[in-house]
Amino acid sequence: MNNVGVPQVDVVVVGAGQAGLSSAYHLRRAGLEPDRDFVVLDHAPRPGGAWQFRWPSLTYGKVHGMYALPGMELAGADDSRPSSEVIGEYFDSYERTFDLRVHRPVGVSAVREGDGGRLLVETSEGTYATRALINATGTWDRPFRPRYPGQDTFGGRQLHTADYPGPDGFAGRRVVVVGGGASGTQHLMEIAGVAADTYWVTRRPPVFREGPFGADQGRAAVAMVADRVRRGLPPQSVVSVTGLPVTDAVRRARESGVLDRLPMFDRITPSGVAWDDGRTVEADVILWATGFRPVVGHLAPMRLREPGGGIRVEGTQAARDPRIHLVGYGPSASTIGANRAGRAAVRAIGRLLERTGPVAERAASAA
């Protein structure tokens, strides 16, 4: 497609969560100027990435493994405040401190091939022609909702973790929580305190992890996810291969029967769920804590997917187009992983710009 009349930059960063802000920080350190050499686009209405959409009962004290953005610690936060507020304010301060000039709310609809080796990034504020793209869109906007027979006949309420309002809305209700991950157990333990009945349903028996989780275990878990991405398979979350940590709250919930797990039901009925062995459960609400998928639909015109269904990534670069970097994807889908991936992407882009762009010397030497 033709680039005539289209604003040209060296890098477009899509997303301003942990991965996107880390990338923008390293671009700044590399000597690139926002709105001249690079732009950061974010569809969200305000700073905070996906954290701004988290439910109010997820206080900062309940957040596990929040790693500070590069160059600025999050210090003195009140553990009793909602994480959406604490981290939203932190991201806002970070953007202003490093003058990252995030454009929001801006949606990105497609990335296409342009002229002269550039990519065209089509957005709600116009099109950009860029030498490289850092995709930091995460997963929050693509909740995964499984389909089961009879689902459309259910007379109660169905919602996903992405819509979870906190426990108060479930008072006196019979609730089926579907999902064996961290969100599912957190929702279940909260709701059990106010609901008439709760039922926990998972496809596989949950794996609880006793004892400390050290660096060796963390590296092994990341390596498992990275292996899938290198083979072009859809990534699993790092959490999915680490197991559920047994906290005091989890221990109490197991002892009280709240975390007694049922196998996955076979169908949904107008009044609940049912199994082929004749067992049934009456329910008012089905809460799908079934995870999220990477938000990469806007990259479809670039044909990056492998036959296995995923995007094969080498380092941070898409194997089918090394101009495109995926950060916060697969093995870097954690706060510390996103920081490292942002730095790695900028280093690789510096090498690209050294060959193709006038700002390359600054980028390659400073990163």
Side-chain angles (χ1 to χ4, degrees), residues 170-177 188 191-200 258 281-285:
F170 302 89
R173 315 300 283 172
R174 299 165 297 178
V175 184
V176 174
V177 178
L188 183 64
I191 292 168
V194 299
D197 283 302
T198 58
Y199 307 90
W200 187 30
V258 169
V281 161
E282 299 292 297
D284 304 300
V285 182

Side-chain angles (χ1 to χ4, degrees), residues 64-65 139 180-183 204 207 209 213-229 234-245 291-294 327-341:
H64 300 292
T139 63
S183 293
R204 292 182 295 271
V207 176
R209 187 185 75 239
F213 188 76
D216 289 343
Q217 294 96 325
R219 282 191 289 269
V222 171
M224 291 174 65
V225 179
D227 179 64
R228 288 182 60 86
V229 170
Q236 294 175 315
S237 69
V238 174
V239 173
S240 71
V241 297
T242 62
L244 297 165
F292 299 79
R293 299 292 184 265
V327 297
Y329 177 87
S332 62
S334 66
T335 53
I336 186 171
N339 284 359
R340 292 170 176 167

Side-chain angles (χ1 to χ4, degrees), residues 60 74 77-91:
Y60 184 63
L74 199 178
D78 182 349
D79 284 353
S80 66
R81 293 184 65 204
S83 60
S84 58
E85 296 178 4
V86 172
I87 299 174
E89 291 169 5
Y90 170 54
F91 279 21

Side-chain angles (χ1 to χ4, degrees), residues 306-319:
E306 302 292 335
I311 298 174
R312 184 160 61 90
V313 176
E314 298 172 351
T316 61
Q317 294 172 282

Side-chain angles (χ1 to χ4, degrees), residues 12-333:
V12 171
V13 180
V14 184
Q18 185 98 13
L21 293 184
S22 170
S23 300
Y25 168 85
H26 287 293
L27 288 169
R28 279 293 248 157
R29 285 198 66 197
L32 279 70
E33 289 291 327
D35 291 335
R36 185 192 72 183
D37 303 320
F38 74 93
V39 293
V40 184
L41 310 176
D42 189 36
H43 84 289
R46 55 190 177 274
W51 291 101
Q52 66 192 273
F53 305 113
R54 296 299 203 272
W55 48 98
S57 57
L58 182 64
T59 59
Y60 184 63
K62 295 179 182 177
V63 172
H64 300 292
M66 171 64 195
Y67 201 79
L69 284 159
M72 182 176 163
E73 293 295 322
L74 199 178
D78 182 349
D79 284 353
S80 66
R81 293 184 65 204
S83 60
S84 58
E85 296 178 4
V86 172
I87 299 174
E89 291 169 5
Y90 170 54
F91 279 21
D92 181 45
S93 178
Y94 190 87
E95 291 178 16
R96 288 185 286 104
T97 298
F98 296 106
D99 190 25
L100 301 180
R101 305 181 205 172
V102 177
H103 296 212
R104 62 166 58 89
V106 176
V108 174
S109 55
V111 178
R112 307 182 190 277
E113 188 67 60
D115 294 336
R118 287 184 178 265
L119 299 166
L120 290 178
V121 183
E122 299 175 2
T123 85
S124 59
E125 70 173 11
T127 299
Y128 291 93
T130 182
R131 301 179 192 276
L133 180 128
I134 296 178
N135 194 78
T137 46
T139 63
W140 184 260
D141 295 318
R142 197 180 165 206
F144 174 61
R145 294 178 171 89
R147 297 296 301 173
Y148 277 84
Q151 195 159 359
D152 294 337
T153 71
F154 183 60
R157 182 185 182 196
Q158 295 186 61
L159 69 163
H160 188 275
T161 290
D163 314 305
Y164 180 66
D168 293 345
F170 302 89
R173 315 300 283 172
R174 299 165 297 178
V175 184
V176 174
V177 178
V178 183
S183 293
T185 55
Q186 289 173 6
H187 297 339
L188 183 64
M189 290 188 294
E190 286 190 343
I191 292 168
V194 299
D197 283 302
T198 58
Y199 307 90
W200 187 30
V201 178
T202 71
R203 283 196 304 122
R204 292 182 295 271
V207 176
F208 290 96
R209 187 185 75 239
E210 296 274 3
F213 188 76
D216 289 343
Q217 294 96 325
R219 282 191 289 269
V222 171
M224 291 174 65
V225 179
D227 179 64
R228 288 182 60 86
V229 170
R230 280 194 297 269
R231 290 187 287 133
L233 298 174
Q236 294 175 315
S237 69
V238 174
V239 173
S240 71
V241 297
T242 62
L244 297 165
V246 179
T247 63
D248 288 342
V250 167
R251 194 170 287 109
R252 289 192 298 269
R254 293 177 73 183
E255 291 170 353
S256 67
V258 169
L259 289 179
D260 286 346
R261 171 256 181 190
L262 295 171
M264 195 64 206
F265 49 76
D266 296 296
R267 61 191 179 280
I268 299 174
T269 69
S271 59
V273 298
W275 290 258
D276 286 344
D277 62 7
R279 178 172 30 181
T280 62
V281 161
E282 299 292 297
D284 304 300
V285 182
I286 300 174
L287 173 56
W288 299 95
T290 43
F292 299 79
R293 299 292 184 265
V295 178
V296 291
H298 54 290
L299 301 178
M302 301 305 298
R303 302 182 182 277
L304 303 178
R305 289 191 184 275
E306 302 292 335
I311 298 174
R312 184 160 61 90
V313 176
E314 298 172 351
T316 61
Q317 294 172 282
R320 290 179 179 263
D321 194 323
R323 296 170 298 176
I324 298 175
H325 295 255
L326 286 88
V327 297
Y329 177 87
S332 62

